[in-house]
């Protein structure tokens, strides 16, 4: 499946990262993996020269990140990206380039779990910027890459290994986008 995706969207740069989590956050991650999920797709969706960003219900006001969603075992990566983009942003998208594959280890005490993020650039096709899954997403907005990058210190101060990972993912993706 990945070979076909790479043929269509390019071979991504690969990175390896490790982040610590609190016991509560680690337990939430493990619970989300009970159905065999161990990866996500993250999209940097361009509408003009800005990207679509989302805010989760528990995020402090003004904190955003790129849309993403878990990939269920056997689920098609391309269809997952389009489904998640619609659920989180209310928009139809077209994937453009597979820019990064990040293999991350999340660690808590002596336990470790592995996760993989597949990061794509995409472009907005149609739809109203409004979350469909309002339990998972509270807001959709447009932001410049520079504006999104400027939020990373706010992500880092949230005392969450998952959000620190999202900050590192965002920085790596923006660097890849700007260099490519």
């Amino acid at each position: 499946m990945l070979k076909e995706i790479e043929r269509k969207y390019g071979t991504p740069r690969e990175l390896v990262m490790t982040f610590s989590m609190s016991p509560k956050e680690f337990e939430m991650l493990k619970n989300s993996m009970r159905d065999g999920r161990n990866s996500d797709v993250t999209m940097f969706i361009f509408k003009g020269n800005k990207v679509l960003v989302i805010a989760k219900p528990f995020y402090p006001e003004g904190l955003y990140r790129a849309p993403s969603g878990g990939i269920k075992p056997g689920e098609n990566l391309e269809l997952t990206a389009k489904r998640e983009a619609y659920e989180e942003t209310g928009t139809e998208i077209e994937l453009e380039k597979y820019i990064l594959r990040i293999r991350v280890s999340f660690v808590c005490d002596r336990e470790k779990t592995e996760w993989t993020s597949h990061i794509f650039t995409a472009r907005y096709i149609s739809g109203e910027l409004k979350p469909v899954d309002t339990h998972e997403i509270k807001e959709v907005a447009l932001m410049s890459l520079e504006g999104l990058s400027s939020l990373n210190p706010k992500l880092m101060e949230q005392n969450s290994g998952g959000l620190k990972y999202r900050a590192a993912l965002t920085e790596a993706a923006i660097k890849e986008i700007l260099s490519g």
Side-chain angles (χ1 to χ4, degrees), residues 27-38:
E27 195 59 37
M28 286 173 51
L29 173 65
K30 287 193 327 189
N31 285 339
S32 78
M33 298 173 76
R34 276 187 287 176
D35 62 359
R37 248 189 314 186
N38 63 359

Side-chain angles (χ1 to χ4, degrees), residues 52-106:
L52 278 66
V53 293
I54 55 101
K56 297 274 191 175
F58 60 90
Y59 283 13
E61 196 61 37
L63 184 60
Y64 299 93
R65 68 171 177 81
S68 68
I71 304 167
K72 296 174 185 151
E75 192 173 30
N76 177 290
L77 188 56
E78 188 173 15
L79 295 177
T80 299
K82 290 180 178 190
R83 175 182 51 80
E84 287 292 341
Y86 176 73
E87 288 174 4
E88 293 197 355
T89 70
T91 65
E92 184 180 325
I93 66 160
E94 186 166 312
L95 293 178
E96 292 189 319
K97 188 175 178 187
Y98 189 3
I99 61 171
L100 288 172
R101 179 170 32 243
I102 303 176
R103 298 185 193 284
V104 60
S105 298
F106 290 110

Side-chain angles (χ1 to χ4, degrees), residues 157-174:
E157 68 190 30
Q158 296 306 308
N159 197 27
S160 160
L163 291 181
K164 288 177 181 170
Y165 170 57
R166 284 287 151 191
L169 179 155
T170 298
E171 277 307 304
I174 289 172

Side-chain angles (χ1 to χ4, degrees):
M1 177 170 89
L2 276 181
K3 293 241 182 276
E4 176 63 23
I5 291 292
E6 288 180 7
R7 187 188 63 70
K8 195 169 180 180
Y9 298 106
T11 302
R13 191 160 69 92
E14 295 203 36
L15 300 175
V16 176
M17 300 179 179
T18 301
F19 289 88
S20 295
M21 289 185 150
S22 69
K24 181 180 177 185
E25 187 178 19
F26 193 74
E27 195 59 37
M28 286 173 51
L29 173 65
K30 287 193 327 189
N31 285 339
S32 78
M33 298 173 76
R34 276 187 287 176
D35 62 359
R37 248 189 314 186
N38 63 359
S39 58
D40 73 88
V41 60
T42 299
M43 295 122 335
F44 286 78
I45 305 165
F46 284 86
K47 184 176 184 192
N49 63 351
K50 296 197 175 189
V51 289
L52 278 66
V53 293
I54 55 101
K56 297 274 191 175
F58 60 90
Y59 283 13
E61 196 61 37
L63 184 60
Y64 299 93
R65 68 171 177 81
S68 68
I71 304 167
K72 296 174 185 151
E75 192 173 30
N76 177 290
L77 188 56
E78 188 173 15
L79 295 177
T80 299
K82 290 180 178 190
R83 175 182 51 80
E84 287 292 341
Y86 176 73
E87 288 174 4
E88 293 197 355
T89 70
T91 65
E92 184 180 325
I93 66 160
E94 186 166 312
L95 293 178
E96 292 189 319
K97 188 175 178 187
Y98 189 3
I99 61 171
L100 288 172
R101 179 170 32 243
I102 303 176
R103 298 185 193 284
V104 60
S105 298
F106 290 110
V107 181
C108 179
D109 297 325
R110 293 174 192 231
E111 274 192 88
K112 178 167 91 169
T113 193
E114 306 295 328
W115 188 267
T116 303
S117 292
H118 304 274
I119 298 101
F120 289 82
T121 57
R123 70 182 161 86
Y124 164 90
I125 301 292
S126 65
E128 182 182 351
L129 301 184
K130 183 176 165 188
V132 172
D133 182 351
T134 55
H135 293 300
E136 287 285 324
I137 309 300
K138 74 175 176 182
E139 186 182 357
V140 180
L142 282 170
M143 187 171 279
S144 69
L145 286 177
E146 296 77 20
L148 183 57
S149 181
S150 75
L151 295 178
N152 277 347
K154 203 171 191 176
L155 281 169
M156 296 295 285
E157 68 190 30
Q158 296 306 308
N159 197 27
S160 160
L163 291 181
K164 288 177 181 170
Y165 170 57
R166 284 287 151 191
L169 179 155
T170 298
E171 277 307 304
I174 289 172
K175 181 179 176 185
E176 200 66 27
I177 290 165
L178 295 176
S179 73

